[in-house]
Amino acid sequence: MLPFIDLKAQYRRIEPEIRSRIDDVLKHGAFIMGPEVTELEQKLAQYCGVRHVISCSSGSDALLMPLLAWNIGPGDAVFVPTFTFFATAEMVALLGATPVFVDIDPVTFNMDPVALELAIKALAAKDPAIYPLPANYAALSPKAVIPVDLFGIAAEYEKIVPIAKAHNLLLLEDAAQAFGGKAGDKFVGNLGCDAAAFSFFPAKPLGCYGDGGAIATNSDELAEALKSIRVHGQGENKYQNIRIGVNGRMDTLQAAILLPKLAILDEEIAARQQVAAAYAGRLNAMANVIAPTVPTGRLSAWAQYSILLPRRDEVVPLMQQAGIPTNIYYPASLHQQKAFAYLGYADECFALTRDICARILSLPMHPYLSASDQDKICNALNQALNGQ
Ligand SMILES: *Cc1c(COP(=O)(O)O)cnc(C)c1O
C-alpha cells in the first residue's frame, strides 16, 4: 500500500535538524513554554505577515480560544459551513452557542458567500423559509462567522469580510488545513479576519509529531487575551486568574519539531503545486473525473487533493485492492451528524453539500509523491472507474 501522506520521506530529508532541535529541548529542560515556543511564534507571524501568533495545543483549541476571548456563548449564532471537519462547529457548540450551517460552493467546497447572506437574513427576519435555521432560531442573535479554507484553498474573503463588517459579525478563519496557502499576495491567516486558527496535526501541510495549533491575529488586545486564556485565564502571574481559560499550551518539543519543518515549507508547497499539476494533467484525460479547481490568484496549500467522481463507493474498494489508499473528506454534511441532531435541521437541507459528500474522494497528496506513484494511482483509478 502506498502511503496516503508520506511523513517518513520528509523525516529522511531533515532528520539531523529535527534530532538536534529535540536534543536541545532535552538538554535545557524547559518542556513548557520553552524558548522554541517563542521562536516558533515569531517565525510563524513573520511568515504570514501578521502582528501576533499565539501557539496552542491543537487546531481545535485554536478555534475555541478566540471564541472564548469574544465571550461567545448561549444565545449566540455562529455561521459555519456544512462541509468541514467536525471541530469547526463543535467548538461553537461546546461553548453553548449555536452553529448555523451555511452551504458550500460546489467548485471550491468553501462556504458560499451568497448562502451566508441568506442565512444572516433568515436569522434577522426569524424566517427559516428564507434559509434553513436551527430549531432555536428565535432565541439567537448573530455573533460570528467561521469560514474554512478547505483542503488548503482560502475561502472567499473578498466577499465574506464585507458581509461580516456590514452585519457587525466577528470573523474567525479556520485555516487548520491551509498554512502556507495564499490569496493574492497575502498569506492565509492574514486575509482580513479578526483571527485565524491553524492546526499542526501531523497530516496537515505543516504538521508536528503530535497535536499542536496556533492563532494568528493583528489585534494586540485579542493577542493578550489569548495568552491569558491559554494558561487558565491567568493575570499578572500564575496564581492570579482573571477569566475562565484552558490549559492550551503547545509543548516545547512540538515547537522544536515545527521549526525545521517551517524552514522547508516553501519548497514543500512548491512541490505540492507540481504534484497537483501532474494529477490534473492525468485526470483531465479521464471523462468521468472532475479534478480540483483553484480559483485564479489563489495558492492552495494542498492539504488534500479531492476529486469528484461517479460511483465513488464502488471505486474505493477497487482502489484499496490495487494498493492505493484513499479517504473521504467528508462522508456527511455536519447537519446530518448525530451530535447535531438537537439543532433540528431536516435531512433534505443543504443539497449542494449532500451531493458533494456522495461524490468526493481524496487521493494521496504530499510533497514527495513521485511521478511513477502518480501513474499507479491514476491507472488504478481509471481501471476502477471502468469496473475492472
Ligand atoms: C484538523 C482540523 C481542525 C482541528 O485541528 P486539530 O489540530 O485536529 O484539533 C479544525 N478544523 C479543520 C477544518 C481541520 O481540518
Side-chain angles (χ1 to χ4, degrees), residues 143-196:
K143 269 292 157 57
V145 188
I146 314 182
V148 178
D149 304 330
L150 203 73
F151 304 147
I153 299 176
E156 252 186 288
Y157 298 103
E158 301 87 338
K159 292 182 183 159
I160 293 174
V161 171
I163 295 171
K165 285 212 169 113
H167 296 277
N168 211 8
L169 299 171
L170 290 156
L171 253 183
L172 174 57
E173 173 182 5
D174 183 342
Q177 303 184 2
F179 192 90
K182 285 172 103 173
D185 58 357
K186 292 230 160 92
F187 277 96
V188 154
N190 189 28
L191 299 177
C193 299
D194 297 288

Side-chain angles (χ1 to χ4, degrees), residues 227-235 238 240-249:
K227 284 180 195 164
S228 159
I229 285 169
R230 174 167 68 181
V231 195
H232 305 289
Q234 79 173 16
K238 247 194 200 172
Q240 189 187 61
N241 304 87
I242 55 174
R243 53 164 66 79
I244 300 299
V246 292
N247 173 358
R249 296 169 298 233

Side-chain angles (χ1 to χ4, degrees), residues 86-151:
F86 186 64
T88 313
E90 180 191 27
M91 295 303 115
V92 173
L94 186 60
L95 292 174
T98 302
V100 177
F101 294 126
V102 177
D103 216 337
I104 54 163
D105 176 291
V107 174
T108 61
F109 316 128
N110 282 333
M111 177 186 271
D112 174 7
V114 175
L116 172 64
E117 276 206 291
L118 278 177
I120 293 170
K121 195 173 156 191
L123 192 66
K126 306 281 178 219
D127 184 0
I130 299 175
Y131 199 79
L133 292 173
N136 63 338
Y137 66 86
L140 298 178
S141 16
K143 269 292 157 57
V145 188
I146 314 182
V148 178
D149 304 330
L150 203 73
F151 304 147

Side-chain angles (χ1 to χ4, degrees), residues 58-60 63 84-85 87-88 148 174 176-177 199 201 204 212 330:
S58 68
S60 302
L63 292 166
T84 173
F85 181 60
T88 313
V148 178
D174 183 342
Q177 303 184 2
S199 167
F201 182 82
K204 311 279 173 166
Y330 298 90

Side-chain angles (χ1 to χ4, degrees), residues 197-279:
F198 299 120
S199 167
F200 304 125
F201 182 82
K204 311 279 173 166
L206 176 63
C208 52
Y209 289 160
D211 279 308
I215 302 129
T217 182
N218 285 314
S219 158
D220 299 346
E221 196 188 329
L222 179 62
E224 280 317 300
L226 292 171
K227 284 180 195 164
S228 159
I229 285 169
R230 174 167 68 181
V231 195
H232 305 289
Q234 79 173 16
E236 301 277 299
N237 63 61
K238 247 194 200 172
Y239 299 105
Q240 189 187 61
N241 304 87
I242 55 174
R243 53 164 66 79
I244 300 299
V246 292
N247 173 358
R249 296 169 298 233
M250 173 186 282
D251 290 347
T252 308
L253 275 170
Q254 298 303 343
I257 288 157
L258 283 167
L259 281 161
K261 291 193 176 210
L262 181 61
I264 58 162
L265 184 72
D266 279 342
E267 284 169 42
E268 291 193 336
I269 297 268
R272 284 175 193 266
Q273 309 309 315
Q274 305 221 310
V275 170
Y279 262 139

